[in-house]
Amino acid sequence: MRIAILALQGAFIEHKHMLQQLGIETFEIRQLRDWQQPKDGLILPGGESTVQMRLLKELQLFDPIQEAMQKGLPTFGTCAGMILLSKDHLGTMDIKVRRNAYGRQLGSFHTTGPVEGIGNDVPMTFIRAPYIEEILSDDCLPIATVDEHIVAAKQGRIIATAFHPELDNDMRFHRYFLDIAK
């Protein structure tokens, strides 16, 4: 299995390290020629969604990435990656997202909770995190909530989290994604 990681900006290296610990080959997407390599899945990391979106368009990655997801490429978006997946951006997930929903950097926090399909006590690290304000179709399913806000969802072979599983030692979320990508 080979997983592509968008490496334009943000917390991509942490995903790479997590997947390497699981014995998974990864490569970084920085330009169009990187994207053209064979891949079994894609990770859209946290970071600054506005910057990532601008770079996706400038580097002519937006259309091929969007098309691959529409054709079923397994994708995992965390924090800013969740924003990119939303209807207002790449539009590959039927979600409406509230950006910076928990406030500025000082509003960052860590908790644990259940995630459908993964288990209980899943660590969740929120850093200037969004949450899902609305799920726009029955095809998209909420899989985790915190304080009555949807913080993770799954639609087909796409999963999104408002939090950063790559910043904790728990590998269950990445294993979950890899199971989807098989």
Side-chain angles (χ1 to χ4, degrees):
M1 181 170 288
R2 195 160 190 256
I3 302 296
I5 302 171
L6 187 67
L8 302 178
Q9 186 272 338
F12 60 89
I13 198 74
E14 291 84 354
H15 283 289
K16 182 176 184 172
H17 290 156
M18 183 76 68
L19 291 171
Q20 286 174 335
Q21 289 178 51
L22 292 169
I24 301 299
E25 181 183 351
T26 66
F27 67 99
E28 297 173 6
I29 304 295
R30 296 180 187 274
Q31 51 194 315
L32 188 56
R33 73 171 178 230
D34 300 328
W35 176 252
Q36 295 164 345
Q37 297 180 55
K39 64 198 117 334
D40 299 301
L42 170 65
I43 291 181
L44 301 174
E48 297 291 335
S49 60
T50 303
V51 171
Q52 290 181 16
M53 183 58 89
R54 180 177 49 82
L55 290 171
L56 283 172
K57 290 179 179 179
E58 284 178 12
L59 297 168
Q60 300 176 338
L61 287 164
F62 182 92
D63 289 335
I65 287 175
Q66 182 185 52
E67 182 180 328
M69 282 189 277
Q70 289 170 340
K71 289 181 177 178
L73 180 70
T75 304
F76 180 13
T78 61
C79 198
M82 181 172 87
I83 295 168
L84 293 178
L85 291 168
S86 73
K87 278 296 179 193
D88 293 334
H89 293 82
L90 284 163
T92 53
M93 203 167 187
D94 296 332
I95 56 175
K96 181 179 175 188
V97 175
R98 181 171 178 200
R99 300 166 59 113
N100 297 322
Y102 295 101
R104 299 190 175 276
Q105 195 77 19
L106 293 176
S108 300
F109 66 98
H110 180 85
T111 190
T112 60
V115 177
E116 187 176 319
I118 295 178
N120 295 320
D121 299 319
V122 175
M124 300 178 191
T125 299
F126 293 83
I127 302 172
R128 288 186 338 219
Y131 61 68
I132 298 172
E133 282 188 311
E134 185 178 358
I135 292 193
L136 304 170
S137 80
D138 292 339
D139 294 331
C140 186
L141 305 171
I143 59 172
T145 59
V146 170
D147 297 331
E148 299 182 23
H149 297 295
I150 301 168
V151 296
K154 179 181 184 290
Q155 182 172 342
R157 299 180 86 194
I158 301 174
I159 55 174
T161 65
F163 52 92
H164 292 269
E166 74 281 8
L167 297 180
D168 293 298
N169 293 325
D170 189 312
M171 296 186 187
R172 288 181 288 173
F173 230 107
H174 285 78
R175 283 189 186 114
Y176 180 67
F177 170 62
L178 294 171
D179 286 344
I180 290 169
K182 287 182 181 173

